[in-house]
Amino acid sequence: MYSMSIFYDAIAIALRSLAISGLATLLASTWCVPIAVKLSGTRSRVGKAILGILNASIGLPTVIVGLVLYLFLSRAGPLGFLRLLYTPYAIVIGQSILVTPLLTFLMADSLSHLKDTILELAYSLGATRRQAILTLLRESLPHIISSMLVSFNRAVGELGVALMLGGNIRGLTRVMTTAIALEVEKGEFELALTLGGFLLLTTSFITLLIRALRWRK
Amino acid sequence: MIKLINVSFSYGEKNVLEDINLVFDKGVTVVLGPNGSGKTTLLKVAAGLYKPSRGKVLIGGVNIWDSPPETTIPIRRKIVYVHEKPILLRGTVLYNVSYGLKLRGSDTESSRRKAMEILRRFGIEDLAYRNSRELSTGQAQLVSIARALAVSPQYLLLDEPTSNLDKNRRAILEETIRNLSDTIVVVATHDRLFAEKFPRKIVRLENGKIVDRA
Ligand SMILES: Nc1ncnc2c1ncn2[C@@H]1O[C@H](COP(=O)(O)OP(=O)(O)OP(=O)(O)O)[C@@H](O)[C@H]1O
Ligand SMILES: [Mg+2]
């Protein structure tokens, strides 16, 4: 018998997932946006090399990111004193690092088409450096948002970081992917399937949003 | 006044301007020359958008590539260059025409009023709330010229301003330029008929060199 309590559990877990991955994407944007502005359309060798490295790390296995961060955040690790391991914050930080290459690369790529034209236009009308960059960001807003949505999708669907840094603690760090893994292992498929449905809904909805944005601009 | 002293410019290896000495002064200067002769590049260098590879650009006596931003920003704000291919920002026509005023710290209300006034002068006030992406090329060109005029620049550099305009709009632009008595206007154009409408100085470019002045 499918009970409503499973449904409510699933809702709570899904909301936590959305919050954690949403925060992770926003956090990552605080450094990815400036880096992307700097690197997009770069002609310098160092800049191109960094872009190459970012591009190559887009597919970084999530367990690797999880493992490295685990070593940093664990009791004995250099950041152990922060006591972040097995808290939602650890997942937020971990996912924000996980999506950094993807987010930066996507934004840098889409900014590069507009950068020269828009900066030149802004300067031709008397903008300061700051104003010109704000104008560029405003013009690229649909691209920036769609890059963020793609990154959010990657974060919300990943398992490695959430499991290793969050620990799948009920009511605290249990997110959709970790809960699905646990429930399947226990042989209990109801919650797993419900969450699977939610996860699929989330990512499909985001994908639709991205397409709508592409279509609009 | 804009003064170019021994100015050269190259895109990578390609020399596009060679040893240009030129003064743009009160009134209208027309820059003529065949395709690819360097008119656009010359205007962008004179506007302080492109840094010359050699030589100096003095605007109102200030070397703009050799002075701190505190000095150059107020000077740059007196110069407006209008691209030959109009570049409009996302949003309405009104937003675009107010853009330069907002950069200069005008509040929304007064910049809108000013922008509307200019749109009216060009007879395109009905476009004010249209999306800039939905304009014809000629309309976009008018809007980008209106945007430049909105900030009442002391130096106005127009690159092929008439290439997409109909006869009426050309006449309005002509009239507008004629009335800018205190402005230093530079027009790069192929449009001889348009050029002949002004008491003017002519600079003729060929292969990045000045071959004639009148
Ligand atoms: N971004 C660029 N990179 C490399 N070469 C360029 C670039 N822009 C222009 N050039 C070259 O510089 C030369 C001068 O170009 P410019 O645009 O100044 O000519 P123009 O006189 O304005 O031509 P038109 O009448 O077609 O507008 C041309 O030979 C052109 O091929
Ligand atoms: Mg040109």
Side-chain angles (χ1 to χ4, degrees):
Chain A
M1 247 299 285
Y2 187 89
S3 76
M4 272 326 264
S5 76
I6 286 186
F7 186 73
Y8 292 134
D9 269 358
I11 296 263
I13 293 170
L15 289 178
R16 185 178 307 115
S17 253
L18 300 185
I20 286 178
S21 300
L23 274 176
T25 310
L26 288 177
L27 179 66
S29 309
T30 60
W31 58 76
C32 293
V33 170
I35 298 174
V37 167
K38 186 84 192 156
L39 287 182
S40 65
T42 182
R43 285 182 264 280
S44 87
R45 229 188 242 163
V46 180
K48 282 183 185 156
I50 297 176
L51 273 178
I53 292 170
L54 286 172
N55 191 7
S57 359
I58 286 176
L60 215 60
T62 60
V63 284
I64 304 273
V65 178
L67 178 61
V68 170
L69 282 169
Y70 180 90
L71 294 176
F72 271 88
L73 295 178
S74 67
R75 271 290 173 86
L79 297 175
F81 67 94
L82 294 172
R83 312 216 158 216
L84 284 172
L85 197 64
Y86 302 140
T87 66
Y89 307 111
I91 312 181
V92 170
I93 294 168
Q95 291 187 344
S96 70
I97 291 170
L98 177 75
V99 300
T100 291
L102 177 65
L103 186 52
T104 312
F105 187 81
L106 286 178
M107 288 196 294
D109 190 49
S110 55
L111 283 176
S112 66
H113 303 296
L114 289 170
K115 193 176 182 186
D116 288 350
T117 327
I118 297 298
L119 291 185
E120 193 181 294
L121 173 78
Y123 290 135
S124 77
L125 286 159
T128 59
R129 172 95 189 137
R130 203 183 115 81
Q131 288 175 323
I133 287 176
L134 286 176
T135 304
L136 174 64
L137 290 178
R138 182 187 177 280
E139 285 310 292
S140 333
L141 203 58
H143 300 280
I144 291 176
I145 292 174
S146 87
S147 308
M148 285 171 71
L149 291 173
V150 172
S151 305
F152 172 83
N153 253 0
R154 163 117 161 114
V156 84
E158 72 82 30
L159 175 64
V161 169
L163 196 59
M164 290 168 95
L165 302 183
N168 194 29
I169 302 167
R170 192 193 164 100
L172 184 68
T173 59
R174 183 162 299 174
V175 293
M176 288 193 270
T177 52
T178 59
I180 293 171
L182 177 81
E183 294 301 300
V184 169
E185 200 177 327
K186 286 196 303 193
E188 295 182 15
F189 291 96
E190 284 181 351
L191 184 59
L193 283 172
T194 311
L195 282 171
F198 283 177
L199 188 56
L200 198 61
L201 263 175
T202 309
T203 51
S204 320
F205 175 71
I206 298 284
T207 308
L208 278 176
L209 264 183
I210 295 166
R211 296 192 64 168
L213 268 171
R214 297 247 159 94
W215 195 72
R216 265 194 44 134
K217 47 169 209 242
Chain B
M1 144 176 116
I2 301 178
K3 199 167 181 182
L4 298 149
I5 305 170
N6 300 327
V7 164
S8 298
F9 184 90
S10 54
Y11 294 103
E13 301 280 280
K14 189 174 161 53
N15 283 331
V16 175
L17 297 177
E18 273 175 59
D19 209 22
I20 303 271
N21 285 287
L22 194 57
V23 173
F24 294 126
D25 223 333
K26 280 261 160 70
V28 181
T29 306
V30 176
V31 179
L32 295 172
N35 291 133
S37 56
K39 303 181 296 297
T40 295
T41 311
L42 177 67
L43 260 59
K44 287 185 179 177
V45 168
L49 294 173
Y50 286 1
K51 187 177 180 176
S53 34
R54 250 176 302 123
K56 279 189 233 167
V57 180
L58 304 182
I59 299 175
V62 176
N63 182 341
I64 47 156
W65 292 106
D66 199 22
S67 311
E70 308 89 81
T71 325
T72 56
I73 288 290
I75 295 169
R76 284 172 184 278
R77 289 208 161 145
K78 295 180 189 160
I79 311 174
V80 174
Y81 166 81
V82 181
H83 290 81
E84 62 184 319
K85 272 199 239 123
I87 304 167
L88 297 182
L89 300 169
R90 284 194 312 117
T92 62
V93 165
L94 196 58
Y95 171 78
N96 272 276
V97 180
S98 329
Y99 174 74
L101 294 161
K102 293 222 189 86
L103 292 179
R104 287 159 181 74
S106 287
D107 61 280
T108 313
E109 186 45 41
S110 63
S111 46
R112 289 198 158 210
R113 217 178 316 113
K114 186 87 197 277
M116 276 314 278
E117 183 191 316
I118 305 246
L119 288 175
R120 230 170 274 128
R121 199 195 304 165
F122 282 106
I124 49 171
E125 66 269 34
D126 55 316
L127 295 182
Y129 295 99
R130 282 274 290 278
N131 186 331
S132 65
R133 297 282 139 95
E134 292 162 9
L135 301 179
S136 73
T137 321
Q139 288 171 329
Q141 191 162 35
L142 277 171
V143 170
S144 71
I145 296 170
R147 178 172 58 190
L149 288 167
V151 303
S152 315
Q154 192 179 330
Y155 306 88
L156 178 62
L157 294 87
L158 300 168
D159 202 347
E160 303 285 357
T162 59
S163 52
N164 296 296
L165 303 188
D166 61 41
K167 229 166 113 197
N168 286 338
R169 266 48 184 267
R170 269 176 218 226
I172 295 172
L173 181 60
E174 221 177 273
E175 179 68 26
T176 310
I177 293 177
R178 224 195 304 271
N179 288 337
L180 296 171
S181 46
D182 290 329
T183 311
I184 294 166
V185 182
V186 182
V187 184
T189 189
H190 295 283
D191 185 346
R192 277 163 188 279
L193 277 172
F194 182 77
E196 280 161 13
K197 297 285 163 58
F198 311 103
R200 71 209 174 271
K201 286 145 277 180
I202 288 184
V203 171
R204 193 180 301 276
L205 273 183
E206 245 165 63
N207 280 324
K209 294 199 192 81
I210 298 175
V211 292
D212 193 18
R213 306 167 194 248

